Amino acid sequence: MPGTFTTVYLVAFDLDDHGHPVQAFPPKVAADEGTAVTDAKDLARHHAGVVVWKREGDPVVGEEGVPDVVFSAGKIGDFN
């Protein structure tokens, strides 16, 4: 769709004292899907879970679409 763009995000999760996943850091914007998945696999070794998702945005309307999960591993929580 003309004028739209896609943004890829990555976030890792750790477990809180009750075993619930909480974000280890705020979502990071990735350069592309491939890089994000490689980074996520790396992070998965040190965190309880990771997720990579993308969203299509339309700057004219100022909105982003629904998240489309590209990769996830382990225990993840709210990332939206």
Side-chain angles (χ1 to χ4, degrees):
M1 180 182 257
T4 63
F5 60 92
T6 301
T7 306
V8 180
Y9 300 93
L10 161 69
V11 73
F13 293 86
D14 293 325
L15 300 179
D16 67 12
D17 294 340
H18 302 288
H20 299 120
V22 293
Q23 289 186 6
F25 50 79
K28 295 181 179 181
V29 175
D32 57 60
E33 286 182 44
T35 301
V37 170
T38 300
D39 291 349
K41 288 178 180 178
D42 233 15
L43 288 168
R45 290 185 229 151
H46 308 285
H47 295 277
V50 293
V51 64
V52 174
W53 73 98
K54 63 182 178 180
R55 295 179 114 168
E56 202 168 271
D58 186 343
V60 174
V61 179
E63 294 180 355
E64 283 189 309
V66 297
D68 178 18
V69 174
V70 176
F71 174 84
S72 70
K75 204 167 183 183
I76 62 170
D78 184 29
F79 59 88
N80 194 6

Short mmCIF file of all heavy atoms in Angstrom, two decimals, residues 4-62:
data_model
loop_
_atom_site.label_atom_id
_atom_site.label_comp_id
_atom_site.label_asym_id
_atom_site.label_seq_id
_atom_site.Cartn_x
_atom_site.Cartn_y
_atom_site.Cartn_z
N THR A 4 2.63 3.48 3.15
CA THR A 4 2.72 2.74 4.41
C THR A 4 4.16 2.31 4.65
O THR A 4 4.99 2.31 3.75
CB THR A 4 1.81 1.50 4.41
OG1 THR A 4 2.24 0.61 3.40
CG2 THR A 4 0.36 1.89 4.21
N PHE A 5 4.44 1.93 5.88
CA PHE A 5 5.76 1.43 6.23
C PHE A 5 5.58 0.31 7.24
O PHE A 5 4.54 0.19 7.88
CB PHE A 5 6.63 2.56 6.83
CG PHE A 5 6.05 3.16 8.07
CD1 PHE A 5 6.40 2.67 9.32
CD2 PHE A 5 5.13 4.20 8.00
CE1 PHE A 5 5.84 3.21 10.48
CE2 PHE A 5 4.58 4.75 9.15
CZ PHE A 5 4.93 4.26 10.38
N THR A 6 6.60 -0.52 7.37
CA THR A 6 6.57 -1.61 8.34
C THR A 6 7.67 -1.40 9.35
O THR A 6 8.81 -1.12 8.98
CB THR A 6 6.75 -2.97 7.64
OG1 THR A 6 5.70 -3.14 6.68
CG2 THR A 6 6.71 -4.11 8.63
N THR A 7 7.33 -1.53 10.62
CA THR A 7 8.31 -1.42 11.69
C THR A 7 8.40 -2.76 12.39
O THR A 7 7.39 -3.40 12.68
CB THR A 7 7.89 -0.34 12.71
OG1 THR A 7 7.66 0.89 12.01
CG2 THR A 7 8.97 -0.11 13.75
N VAL A 8 9.64 -3.20 12.64
CA VAL A 8 9.89 -4.47 13.32
C VAL A 8 10.38 -4.17 14.73
O VAL A 8 11.26 -3.33 14.92
CB VAL A 8 10.94 -5.31 12.56
CG1 VAL A 8 11.19 -6.63 13.26
CG2 VAL A 8 10.51 -5.53 11.11
N TYR A 9 9.79 -4.86 15.72
CA TYR A 9 10.13 -4.65 17.12
C TYR A 9 10.64 -5.93 17.75
O TYR A 9 10.29 -7.03 17.31
CB TYR A 9 8.89 -4.21 17.91
CG TYR A 9 8.26 -2.94 17.44
CD1 TYR A 9 7.23 -2.95 16.50
CD2 TYR A 9 8.67 -1.71 17.93
CE1 TYR A 9 6.63 -1.78 16.07
CE2 TYR A 9 8.07 -0.52 17.50
CZ TYR A 9 7.06 -0.57 16.58
OH TYR A 9 6.47 0.59 16.15
N LEU A 10 11.41 -5.78 18.81
CA LEU A 10 11.96 -6.90 19.56
C LEU A 10 11.91 -6.57 21.05
O LEU A 10 12.24 -5.44 21.44
CB LEU A 10 13.42 -7.12 19.15
CG LEU A 10 14.34 -7.93 20.06
CD1 LEU A 10 13.92 -9.39 20.07
CD2 LEU A 10 15.77 -7.79 19.62
N VAL A 11 11.50 -7.54 21.86
CA VAL A 11 11.55 -7.37 23.31
C VAL A 11 11.80 -8.73 23.96
O VAL A 11 11.38 -9.77 23.44
CB VAL A 11 10.27 -6.69 23.87
CG1 VAL A 11 9.09 -7.62 23.85
CG2 VAL A 11 10.50 -6.15 25.27
N ALA A 12 12.52 -8.70 25.08
CA ALA A 12 12.79 -9.90 25.86
C ALA A 12 12.02 -9.81 27.18
O ALA A 12 11.66 -8.71 27.63
CB ALA A 12 14.28 -10.03 26.14
N PHE A 13 11.79 -10.96 27.78
CA PHE A 13 11.05 -11.04 29.04
C PHE A 13 11.86 -11.82 30.08
O PHE A 13 12.53 -12.80 29.75
CB PHE A 13 9.71 -11.75 28.84
CG PHE A 13 8.75 -10.97 28.00
CD1 PHE A 13 8.76 -11.07 26.62
CD2 PHE A 13 7.83 -10.12 28.59
CE1 PHE A 13 7.88 -10.34 25.84
CE2 PHE A 13 6.94 -9.39 27.82
CZ PHE A 13 6.98 -9.49 26.44
N ASP A 14 11.77 -11.36 31.31
CA ASP A 14 12.28 -12.09 32.47
C ASP A 14 11.07 -12.44 33.33
O ASP A 14 9.98 -11.92 33.09
CB ASP A 14 13.26 -11.22 33.26
CG ASP A 14 14.54 -10.95 32.47
OD1 ASP A 14 14.99 -11.83 31.72
OD2 ASP A 14 15.10 -9.84 32.62
N LEU A 15 11.27 -13.31 34.31
CA LEU A 15 10.17 -13.69 35.19
C LEU A 15 10.24 -12.91 36.49
O LEU A 15 11.32 -12.74 37.07
CB LEU A 15 10.22 -15.19 35.47
CG LEU A 15 10.11 -16.09 34.24
CD1 LEU A 15 10.19 -17.55 34.65
CD2 LEU A 15 8.84 -15.81 33.46
N ASP A 16 9.08 -12.45 36.96
CA ASP A 16 9.03 -11.75 38.25
C ASP A 16 9.01 -12.77 39.39
O ASP A 16 9.13 -13.99 39.15
CB ASP A 16 7.85 -10.77 38.31
CG ASP A 16 6.49 -11.44 38.31
OD1 ASP A 16 6.39 -12.68 38.49
OD2 ASP A 16 5.49 -10.71 38.13
N ASP A 17 8.86 -12.31 40.60
CA ASP A 17 8.88 -13.19 41.77
C ASP A 17 7.75 -14.23 41.78
O ASP A 17 7.82 -15.23 42.50
CB ASP A 17 8.79 -12.35 43.06
CG ASP A 17 10.01 -11.50 43.27
OD1 ASP A 17 11.08 -11.81 42.67
OD2 ASP A 17 9.93 -10.50 44.01
N HIS A 18 6.71 -13.98 41.00
CA HIS A 18 5.57 -14.90 40.93
C HIS A 18 5.63 -15.78 39.68
O HIS A 18 4.68 -16.51 39.39
CB HIS A 18 4.26 -14.12 40.95
CG HIS A 18 4.11 -13.27 42.16
ND1 HIS A 18 3.86 -13.79 43.41
CD2 HIS A 18 4.20 -11.92 42.33
CE1 HIS A 18 3.80 -12.81 44.29
NE2 HIS A 18 4.00 -11.66 43.66
N GLY A 19 6.71 -15.68 38.91
CA GLY A 19 6.87 -16.49 37.71
C GLY A 19 6.15 -15.93 36.49
O GLY A 19 6.01 -16.62 35.48
N HIS A 20 5.72 -14.68 36.55
CA HIS A 20 5.05 -14.05 35.42
C HIS A 20 6.06 -13.30 34.56
O HIS A 20 6.96 -12.64 35.10
CB HIS A 20 3.98 -13.07 35.91
CG HIS A 20 2.91 -13.72 36.70
ND1 HIS A 20 2.64 -13.39 38.00
CD2 HIS A 20 2.05 -14.72 36.38
CE1 HIS A 20 1.65 -14.13 38.46
NE2 HIS A 20 1.29 -14.96 37.50
N PRO A 21 5.91 -13.38 33.24
CA PRO A 21 6.86 -12.67 32.37
C PRO A 21 6.64 -11.15 32.41
O PRO A 21 5.51 -10.68 32.37
CB PRO A 21 6.55 -13.23 30.98
CG PRO A 21 5.18 -13.78 31.06
CD PRO A 21 4.93 -14.15 32.49
N VAL A 22 7.75 -10.43 32.55
CA VAL A 22 7.74 -8.96 32.51
C VAL A 22 8.83 -8.53 31.54
O VAL A 22 9.87 -9.18 31.40
CB VAL A 22 7.98 -8.33 33.90
CG1 VAL A 22 6.83 -8.62 34.83
CG2 VAL A 22 9.28 -8.81 34.51
N GLN A 23 8.59 -7.42 30.86
CA GLN A 23 9.57 -6.95 29.88
C GLN A 23 10.91 -6.66 30.55
O GLN A 23 10.97 -5.99 31.58
CB GLN A 23 9.06 -5.69 29.19
CG GLN A 23 7.92 -5.95 28.24
CD GLN A 23 7.52 -4.72 27.45
OE1 GLN A 23 8.16 -3.67 27.51
NE2 GLN A 23 6.46 -4.85 26.67
N ALA A 24 11.97 -7.16 29.95
CA ALA A 24 13.33 -6.93 30.45
C ALA A 24 13.81 -5.53 30.06
O ALA A 24 14.66 -4.96 30.72
CB ALA A 24 14.28 -7.98 29.90
N PHE A 25 13.25 -5.01 28.98
CA PHE A 25 13.57 -3.67 28.49
C PHE A 25 12.43 -3.23 27.58
O PHE A 25 11.66 -4.08 27.11
CB PHE A 25 14.91 -3.63 27.75
CG PHE A 25 15.07 -4.71 26.69
CD1 PHE A 25 14.49 -4.57 25.43
CD2 PHE A 25 15.80 -5.85 26.95
CE1 PHE A 25 14.63 -5.55 24.46
CE2 PHE A 25 15.95 -6.85 25.98
CZ PHE A 25 15.37 -6.69 24.74
N PRO A 26 12.30 -1.94 27.31
CA PRO A 26 11.24 -1.49 26.41
C PRO A 26 11.45 -2.06 25.00
O PRO A 26 12.58 -2.35 24.61
CB PRO A 26 11.39 0.03 26.40
CG PRO A 26 12.19 0.37 27.60
CD PRO A 26 13.06 -0.83 27.87
N PRO A 27 10.38 -2.23 24.23
CA PRO A 27 10.54 -2.73 22.87
C PRO A 27 11.54 -1.90 22.08
O PRO A 27 11.55 -0.67 22.15
CB PRO A 27 9.13 -2.61 22.27
CG PRO A 27 8.23 -2.69 23.47
CD PRO A 27 8.97 -1.99 24.57
N LYS A 28 12.39 -2.61 21.34
CA LYS A 28 13.39 -1.95 20.50
C LYS A 28 12.99 -2.09 19.03
O LYS A 28 12.50 -3.13 18.61
CB LYS A 28 14.76 -2.61 20.68
CG LYS A 28 15.33 -2.45 22.07
CD LYS A 28 16.70 -3.10 22.16
CE LYS A 28 17.29 -2.92 23.55
NZ LYS A 28 18.62 -3.52 23.64
N VAL A 29 13.22 -1.05 18.27
CA VAL A 29 12.98 -1.10 16.83
C VAL A 29 14.19 -1.76 16.19
O VAL A 29 15.34 -1.40 16.48
CB VAL A 29 12.76 0.31 16.25
CG1 VAL A 29 12.63 0.26 14.73
CG2 VAL A 29 11.52 0.96 16.86
N ALA A 30 13.94 -2.74 15.34
CA ALA A 30 15.01 -3.47 14.65
C ALA A 30 15.16 -2.98 13.22
O ALA A 30 14.21 -2.45 12.63
CB ALA A 30 14.70 -4.96 14.67
N ALA A 31 16.33 -3.20 12.67
CA ALA A 31 16.61 -2.78 11.30
C ALA A 31 15.77 -3.57 10.29
O ALA A 31 15.29 -3.01 9.30
CB ALA A 31 18.09 -2.96 10.98
N ASP A 32 15.60 -4.87 10.55
CA ASP A 32 14.82 -5.72 9.65
C ASP A 32 14.46 -7.01 10.38
O ASP A 32 14.96 -7.28 11.47
CB ASP A 32 15.57 -6.01 8.35
CG ASP A 32 16.93 -6.65 8.59
OD1 ASP A 32 16.98 -7.75 9.18
OD2 ASP A 32 17.95 -6.04 8.20
N GLU A 33 13.61 -7.81 9.77
CA GLU A 33 13.14 -9.05 10.40
C GLU A 33 14.28 -10.02 10.69
O GLU A 33 14.35 -10.61 11.76
CB GLU A 33 12.10 -9.74 9.53
CG GLU A 33 10.75 -9.09 9.53
CD GLU A 33 9.74 -9.86 8.69
OE1 GLU A 33 9.70 -11.10 8.78
OE2 GLU A 33 8.99 -9.20 7.94
N GLY A 34 15.15 -10.20 9.72
CA GLY A 34 16.25 -11.16 9.87
C GLY A 34 17.15 -10.82 11.04
O GLY A 34 17.50 -11.69 11.85
N THR A 35 17.53 -9.57 11.13
CA THR A 35 18.37 -9.12 12.24
C THR A 35 17.65 -9.29 13.57
O THR A 35 18.24 -9.75 14.56
CB THR A 35 18.78 -7.64 12.04
OG1 THR A 35 19.46 -7.52 10.80
CG2 THR A 35 19.64 -7.15 13.17
N ALA A 36 16.37 -8.95 13.60
CA ALA A 36 15.59 -9.06 14.83
C ALA A 36 15.50 -10.51 15.29
O ALA A 36 15.65 -10.79 16.48
CB ALA A 36 14.20 -8.48 14.62
N VAL A 37 15.27 -11.43 14.38
CA VAL A 37 15.16 -12.85 14.75
C VAL A 37 16.51 -13.37 15.24
O VAL A 37 16.57 -14.08 16.25
CB VAL A 37 14.62 -13.69 13.57
CG1 VAL A 37 14.74 -15.18 13.86
CG2 VAL A 37 13.17 -13.31 13.27
N THR A 38 17.59 -13.00 14.58
CA THR A 38 18.93 -13.40 15.03
C THR A 38 19.20 -12.88 16.43
O THR A 38 19.67 -13.61 17.31
CB THR A 38 20.01 -12.90 14.05
OG1 THR A 38 19.76 -13.46 12.77
CG2 THR A 38 21.40 -13.26 14.53
N ASP A 39 18.90 -11.61 16.66
CA ASP A 39 19.09 -11.00 17.99
C ASP A 39 18.20 -11.68 19.03
O ASP A 39 18.63 -11.92 20.16
CB ASP A 39 18.80 -9.50 17.95
CG ASP A 39 19.83 -8.72 17.16
OD1 ASP A 39 20.90 -9.29 16.81
OD2 ASP A 39 19.58 -7.53 16.88
N ALA A 40 16.97 -12.00 18.65
CA ALA A 40 16.03 -12.65 19.58
C ALA A 40 16.54 -14.03 19.98
O ALA A 40 16.46 -14.40 21.16
CB ALA A 40 14.65 -12.74 18.94
N LYS A 41 17.05 -14.78 19.05
CA LYS A 41 17.58 -16.11 19.36
C LYS A 41 18.76 -16.00 20.32
O LYS A 41 18.91 -16.83 21.22
CB LYS A 41 17.99 -16.84 18.08
CG LYS A 41 16.79 -17.28 17.26
CD LYS A 41 17.21 -17.95 15.97
CE LYS A 41 15.99 -18.40 15.17
NZ LYS A 41 16.37 -19.03 13.89
N ASP A 42 19.56 -14.98 20.16
CA ASP A 42 20.67 -14.71 21.07
C ASP A 42 20.15 -14.37 22.47
O ASP A 42 20.63 -14.91 23.47
CB ASP A 42 21.46 -13.52 20.53
CG ASP A 42 22.94 -13.80 20.40
OD1 ASP A 42 23.33 -14.97 20.45
OD2 ASP A 42 23.68 -12.82 20.25
N LEU A 43 19.17 -13.48 22.52
CA LEU A 43 18.59 -13.06 23.80
C LEU A 43 17.87 -14.21 24.51
O LEU A 43 17.81 -14.25 25.74
CB LEU A 43 17.62 -11.90 23.59
CG LEU A 43 18.25 -10.55 23.26
CD1 LEU A 43 17.18 -9.57 22.78
CD2 LEU A 43 18.97 -10.00 24.48
N ALA A 44 17.31 -15.14 23.75
CA ALA A 44 16.56 -16.25 24.32
C ALA A 44 17.43 -17.11 25.23
O ALA A 44 16.92 -17.78 26.13
CB ALA A 44 15.94 -17.10 23.21
N ARG A 45 18.73 -17.07 25.04
CA ARG A 45 19.65 -17.85 25.88
C ARG A 45 19.78 -17.25 27.28
O ARG A 45 20.22 -17.92 28.20
CB ARG A 45 21.02 -17.93 25.23
CG ARG A 45 21.02 -18.79 24.01
CD ARG A 45 22.41 -18.95 23.46
NE ARG A 45 22.30 -18.65 22.03
CZ ARG A 45 23.24 -18.16 21.29
NH1 ARG A 45 24.41 -17.87 21.80
NH2 ARG A 45 23.04 -17.94 20.02
N HIS A 46 19.42 -15.97 27.42
CA HIS A 46 19.63 -15.27 28.69
C HIS A 46 18.34 -14.75 29.34
O HIS A 46 18.40 -14.15 30.41
CB HIS A 46 20.58 -14.08 28.47
CG HIS A 46 21.84 -14.46 27.78
ND1 HIS A 46 22.86 -15.14 28.41
CD2 HIS A 46 22.25 -14.29 26.50
CE1 HIS A 46 23.84 -15.35 27.55
NE2 HIS A 46 23.49 -14.86 26.38
N HIS A 47 17.22 -14.93 28.66
CA HIS A 47 15.93 -14.43 29.16
C HIS A 47 14.89 -15.53 29.11
O HIS A 47 15.05 -16.53 28.41
CB HIS A 47 15.47 -13.23 28.32
CG HIS A 47 16.37 -12.04 28.44
ND1 HIS A 47 16.28 -11.15 29.48
CD2 HIS A 47 17.38 -11.61 27.65
CE1 HIS A 47 17.20 -10.20 29.32
NE2 HIS A 47 17.89 -10.47 28.22
N ALA A 48 13.81 -15.34 29.85
CA ALA A 48 12.73 -16.34 29.91
C ALA A 48 11.97 -16.46 28.59
O ALA A 48 11.40 -17.49 28.28
CB ALA A 48 11.76 -16.00 31.03
N GLY A 49 11.96 -15.38 27.82
CA GLY A 49 11.25 -15.39 26.55
C GLY A 49 11.61 -14.18 25.71
O GLY A 49 12.15 -13.19 26.23
N VAL A 50 11.33 -14.28 24.43
CA VAL A 50 11.56 -13.17 23.49
C VAL A 50 10.45 -13.18 22.44
O VAL A 50 9.87 -14.23 22.16
CB VAL A 50 12.92 -13.26 22.77
CG1 VAL A 50 14.07 -13.05 23.73
CG2 VAL A 50 13.07 -14.56 22.03
N VAL A 51 10.18 -12.03 21.89
CA VAL A 51 9.21 -11.94 20.79
C VAL A 51 9.64 -10.86 19.82
O VAL A 51 10.18 -9.83 20.21
CB VAL A 51 7.76 -11.69 21.33
CG1 VAL A 51 7.65 -10.35 22.01
CG2 VAL A 51 6.74 -11.81 20.21
N VAL A 52 9.45 -11.16 18.54
CA VAL A 52 9.69 -10.21 17.45
C VAL A 52 8.36 -10.06 16.74
O VAL A 52 7.70 -11.05 16.41
CB VAL A 52 10.75 -10.73 16.46
CG1 VAL A 52 10.87 -9.80 15.26
CG2 VAL A 52 12.09 -10.91 17.14
N TRP A 53 7.94 -8.83 16.51
CA TRP A 53 6.71 -8.60 15.78
C TRP A 53 6.88 -7.40 14.87
O TRP A 53 7.82 -6.62 15.02
CB TRP A 53 5.52 -8.41 16.72
CG TRP A 53 5.48 -7.12 17.47
CD1 TRP A 53 4.75 -6.01 17.15
CD2 TRP A 53 6.17 -6.78 18.68
NE1 TRP A 53 4.95 -5.02 18.07
CE2 TRP A 53 5.82 -5.46 19.02
CE3 TRP A 53 7.07 -7.45 19.49
CZ2 TRP A 53 6.33 -4.82 20.14
CZ3 TRP A 53 7.57 -6.81 20.60
CH2 TRP A 53 7.19 -5.51 20.91
N LYS A 54 5.97 -7.32 13.91
CA LYS A 54 6.00 -6.17 13.00
C LYS A 54 4.61 -5.57 12.91
O LYS A 54 3.61 -6.24 13.19
CB LYS A 54 6.51 -6.59 11.62
CG LYS A 54 5.65 -7.60 10.91
CD LYS A 54 6.27 -7.99 9.59
CE LYS A 54 5.42 -9.04 8.88
NZ LYS A 54 6.00 -9.43 7.60
N ARG A 55 4.60 -4.32 12.55
CA ARG A 55 3.33 -3.60 12.37
C ARG A 55 3.46 -2.73 11.14
O ARG A 55 4.51 -2.13 10.90
CB ARG A 55 3.04 -2.71 13.56
CG ARG A 55 2.80 -3.45 14.83
CD ARG A 55 2.55 -2.48 15.92
NE ARG A 55 1.17 -2.71 16.33
CZ ARG A 55 0.63 -2.22 17.40
NH1 ARG A 55 1.31 -1.41 18.17
NH2 ARG A 55 -0.60 -2.49 17.73
N GLU A 56 2.38 -2.65 10.40
CA GLU A 56 2.34 -1.75 9.26
C GLU A 56 1.77 -0.42 9.73
O GLU A 56 0.80 -0.40 10.49
CB GLU A 56 1.46 -2.35 8.17
CG GLU A 56 1.76 -1.78 6.80
CD GLU A 56 1.09 -2.58 5.71
OE1 GLU A 56 1.70 -3.54 5.23
OE2 GLU A 56 -0.05 -2.21 5.36
N GLY A 57 2.38 0.65 9.33
CA GLY A 57 1.93 1.98 9.74
C GLY A 57 1.56 2.82 8.54
O GLY A 57 2.04 2.62 7.43
N ASP A 58 0.70 3.77 8.78
CA ASP A 58 0.28 4.72 7.75
C ASP A 58 0.47 6.12 8.30
O ASP A 58 -0.32 6.58 9.14
CB ASP A 58 -1.18 4.48 7.39
CG ASP A 58 -1.64 5.34 6.22
OD1 ASP A 58 -0.98 6.34 5.90
OD2 ASP A 58 -2.68 5.00 5.63
N PRO A 59 1.52 6.82 7.86
CA PRO A 59 1.79 8.15 8.41
C PRO A 59 0.69 9.18 8.10
O PRO A 59 0.51 10.13 8.85
CB PRO A 59 3.11 8.55 7.76
CG PRO A 59 3.23 7.69 6.55
CD PRO A 59 2.47 6.43 6.84
N VAL A 60 -0.05 8.98 7.03
CA VAL A 60 -1.11 9.91 6.68
C VAL A 60 -2.21 9.87 7.74
O VAL A 60 -2.72 10.90 8.17
CB VAL A 60 -1.69 9.61 5.27
CG1 VAL A 60 -2.90 10.48 4.98
CG2 VAL A 60 -0.62 9.79 4.20
N VAL A 61 -2.56 8.67 8.16
CA VAL A 61 -3.61 8.48 9.16
C VAL A 61 -3.04 8.57 10.57
O VAL A 61 -3.74 8.90 11.52
CB VAL A 61 -4.32 7.12 8.95
CG1 VAL A 61 -5.40 6.89 9.98
CG2 VAL A 61 -4.87 7.01 7.55
N GLY A 62 -1.73 8.27 10.70
CA GLY A 62 -1.09 8.30 12.01
C GLY A 62 -1.41 7.10 12.86
O GLY A 62 -1.44 7.17 14.08
#
